Amino acid sequence: MKIQNYGLFINGEFKEAVKGQVTEVQNPATGEILACVANGSEEDVERAISAALAAQKYYRDLPIVERAFMLQEIARVIRENADHLATIESLDSGKPIIETTEDVIAIADQFDYFAGVLRVETDECLSHDHENITLIMKEPYGVVAQIIPWNFPFLLAGWKLAPALAAGNSVVIKPAMETPLSLLELARLTGEIIPPGLLNVIIGAGSVVGQAMINDERISKIAFTGSTPVGKSIGQAAAKLLVPASLELGGKSANIIFADAPMEKALEGAALAILYGQGQVCNAGSRLFVEACVYEEVVEKLARIFKQVKVGVPIDPDTRMGTLINQKQLDQVLEYVAVGVAEGARLVCGGKRIFDPPFDQGYFVEPTLFADASNQMKIAREEIFGPVLVVIPFETEDQAIEMANDNDYGLAGACWTKDINRALRVARKIDTGLFWINDYHLAPSGTPFGGIKKSGYGRENHKSALNAYSRLKTVYISMTENSTAYYAKFDK
């Protein structure tokens, strides 16, 4: 891929950073330089927010039908450039192209979905009696700050952009410095569709650009996806500004296999739950609870699946697991593997970095399976964010539920069983925002995505996100000319 140069996307144009700084974006699978991008500062955030404010004065009054048409045009452009965007995303993030292609198509659908939601989620009119009515009107917040992580750069950007633009807001969005390219390409491709200033893409260190965004009093709403510690600081910043925030944070999700599960599907689902995205997924099924009577069978068959997974170059269509994002993440995953061994868990397979060519320049790690673990081990309690599965046996349904809930996080979970009554019973009792029955990772447009507890608050991928980017105004209307005679009238 020819090295590209990108500026910051501000007011409909690519511009150099005020201080002239640039940073290189690497392909994590090969170490090759993919692009050089402008590295922003507080001054660049100032420019972006000013452009967003100016655009907001025009865009907030744009008729709904025109706003919906703009979203549909964005969807069209994404579909027309799906291969291009998926390739860039795969090269940039290390994700298999089979996954990034799904992400790109899903976001095209996301923009179409919110174009439809926008047309039907209209203002309300309440008729109290023959003389009084109330209008409940939805208005945009104004300028929205959005911060995107590196694990799903295009998907999560789309999940935030579509409802924010649908609601009439202007956006200043910061992708991760490791993976900014697909969002920058989206800005380029939609430059003639999205009015100048409505979408502004700022790249830079979170401690500089991110802080400048969330501390600016002109920001009216903050949306963040990332780690729980950073999410707490984002929530505190929003509280200081007295603005709403949506926080989609970490997870340590429980996946439960009962003895009566559709076993072949359950085994494939358990592998998908942790190996999809190299395990760098907030809702990854990283804890697998297995009923004791089928425990050894499940461990043995899962090990066989893990050993057969094709780890490969991300742009190879046959690859099912790509590379971790960088050296820091690789070191963290391998450190947790060492901790698991030291804690006494049985390392069934994997656990090592892959050095053989063509993997020697990337951050590839083997699919890793731990068995005979306890729910109190560090590897079962903390988010590893890598392809590391911890398998724990259980005896009863109540025990499985208790262990699943015994965690700080509450993002996702799943169970595998042919007993629908048990499945619904477990789904009700597990403390999560998401739960699958005989499936994992499915999240089509229109299904709320988000967690509870230390996994954050707010929902994306659902029409309720439109309300999360809108504020309500109540307008009372009296239709009579008669006085209410509330105060006594005195004759002179």
Side-chain angles (χ1 to χ4, degrees), residues 179-211:
T179 55
L181 301 187
S182 56
L183 184 53
L184 288 168
E185 275 296 292
L186 179 66
R188 181 184 69 82
L189 291 168
T190 58
E192 295 183 0
I193 298 171
I194 302 176
L198 203 59
L199 169 62
N200 303 274
V201 183
I202 300 293
I203 304 147
S207 59
V208 177
V209 169
Q211 285 295 322

Side-chain angles (χ1 to χ4, degrees), residues 78-79 81-91 93 95-109 152 154-155 276 314-317 319:
I78 291 173
R79 288 193 180 93
N81 295 274
D83 290 343
H84 172 64
L85 290 167
T87 300
I88 288 174
E89 181 87 331
S90 194
L91 292 170
S93 68
K95 291 161 59 77
I97 196 161
I98 189 174
E99 294 181 12
T100 58
T101 300
E102 291 174 352
D103 291 350
V104 169
I105 297 302
I107 289 310
D109 184 63
F152 285 85
F154 197 75
L155 183 80
Y276 186 84
I315 59 172
D316 182 346
T319 293

